[in-house]
């Protein structure tokens, strides 16, 4: 065991300078490798990069990598929660929301529930998906308002999460936008695309 721990520590020490590089093409592969090392030293290194690296894309990579250390690493969970609630960069917040799917506890649940009101639709989508992954039915009350979200993609993620949490289509229909409202939104989006978006055309036909 001591030998394997020493080997992991040596590998972390070798990867850390690359992972701290300001060049994301150098840092990101090293961060991916650190994420594969299931050792506290690797987790500690990733937390440091996640919290202090000047490049948002590198911090985001570290956030995704920290997902592999759940559910028991409290330091990683705390760092991810702090980023989800305080980080200005949307990509870093999104990585935190994604990684927290693999952690547990009331603090994690609360942070993901709060992220459902994030200003960025991508973060709201990821928070929906992570709450679905947690499988905690307390999320139902937080997810229901998203059935009227301004972003149709967020509504889709919320519906998937609610369905997995046991909410019926009938109950979702009561709290969601009407088919006519959905159709109107699709038409607006299609007009913005210059009427060439085939996926939107299909959705309009389906609606």
């Amino acid at each position: 065991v001591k030998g394997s721990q020493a080997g992991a520590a040596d590998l972390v020490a070798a990867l850390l300078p690359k992972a701290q590089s300001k060049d994301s093409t150098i840092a990101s592969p090293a961060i991916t490798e650190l994420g594969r090392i299931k050792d506290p030293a690797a987790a500690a290194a990733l937390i440091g990069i996640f919290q202090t690296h000047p490049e948002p894309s590198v911090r985001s990579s570290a956030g995704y990598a920290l997902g592999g250390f759940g559910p028991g690493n409290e330091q990683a969970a705390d760092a991810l929660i702090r980023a989800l609630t305080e980080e200005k960069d949307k990509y870093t917040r999104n990585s935190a929301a994604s990684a927290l799917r693999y952690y547990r506890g009331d603090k994690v649940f609360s942070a993901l529930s709060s992220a459902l009101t994030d200003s960025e639709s991508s973060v709201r989508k990821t928070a929906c998906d992570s709450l679905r992954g947690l499988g905690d039915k307390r999320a139902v009350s937080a997810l229901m308002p998203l059935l009227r979200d301004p972003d149709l993609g967020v509504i889709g993620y919320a519906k998937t999460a609610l369905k997995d949490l046991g909410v019926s289509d009938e109950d979702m229909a009561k709290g969601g936008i009407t088919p006519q409202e959905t159709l109107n939104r699709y038409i607006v989006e299609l007009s913005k695309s210059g009427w060439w978006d085939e996926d939107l055309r299909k959705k309009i036909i389906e609606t």
Side-chain angles (χ1 to χ4, degrees):
V1 175
K2 287 183 179 180
S4 62
Q5 289 176 338
D10 289 343
L11 187 53
V12 170
L15 287 168
L16 191 53
K18 293 182 179 179
Q20 292 172 327
S21 171
K22 291 183 179 180
D23 185 341
S24 62
T25 62
I26 296 173
S28 292
I31 285 169
T32 299
E33 288 302 314
L34 283 172
R36 292 172 179 164
I37 304 171
K38 303 304 179 185
D39 184 90
L46 286 169
I47 291 169
I49 293 166
F50 182 62
Q51 292 178 322
T52 64
H53 200 283
E55 285 296 320
S57 62
V58 174
R59 295 200 305 274
S60 178
S61 295
Y64 286 115
L66 284 171
F69 293 89
N73 192 309
E74 289 293 327
Q75 287 183 318
D78 288 344
L80 291 165
I81 290 169
R82 191 176 306 112
L84 183 56
T85 56
E86 299 176 6
E87 172 66 51
K88 293 181 179 180
D89 177 64
K90 65 180 180 180
Y91 299 108
T92 305
R93 293 201 309 276
N94 198 57
S95 72
S98 178
L100 283 171
R101 173 192 180 109
Y102 303 102
Y103 292 79
R104 295 295 182 268
D106 288 341
K107 290 190 297 183
V108 170
F109 176 80
S110 178
L112 287 171
S113 297
S114 295
L116 295 175
T117 61
D118 194 278
S119 60
E120 292 292 334
S121 62
S122 59
V123 178
R124 298 198 300 276
K125 290 175 188 176
T126 303
C128 285
D129 198 47
S130 290
L131 285 168
R132 179 178 67 85
L134 291 184
D136 190 328
K137 292 194 174 184
R138 292 180 299 168
V140 169
S141 61
L143 286 162
M144 286 296 287
L146 269 69
L147 295 176
R148 300 192 65 84
D149 193 90
D151 187 289
L152 289 170
V154 174
I155 292 176
Y157 273 78
K159 284 183 175 179
T160 299
L162 287 165
K163 188 170 185 179
D164 280 7
L165 291 170
V167 179
S168 68
D169 290 338
E170 181 179 3
D171 285 340
M172 281 191 273
K174 292 176 183 176
I177 62 175
T178 66
Q180 184 62 52
E181 287 178 290
T182 303
L183 181 60
N184 291 343
R185 289 194 192 183
Y186 280 140
I187 291 173
V188 169
E189 289 188 16
L190 186 61
S191 67
K192 290 179 180 177
S193 74
W195 304 97
W196 292 108
D197 192 315
E198 288 299 323
D199 287 336
L200 281 174
R201 287 174 178 270
K202 291 177 182 178
K203 288 177 180 177
I204 288 173
I205 293 170
E206 290 171 359
T207 303

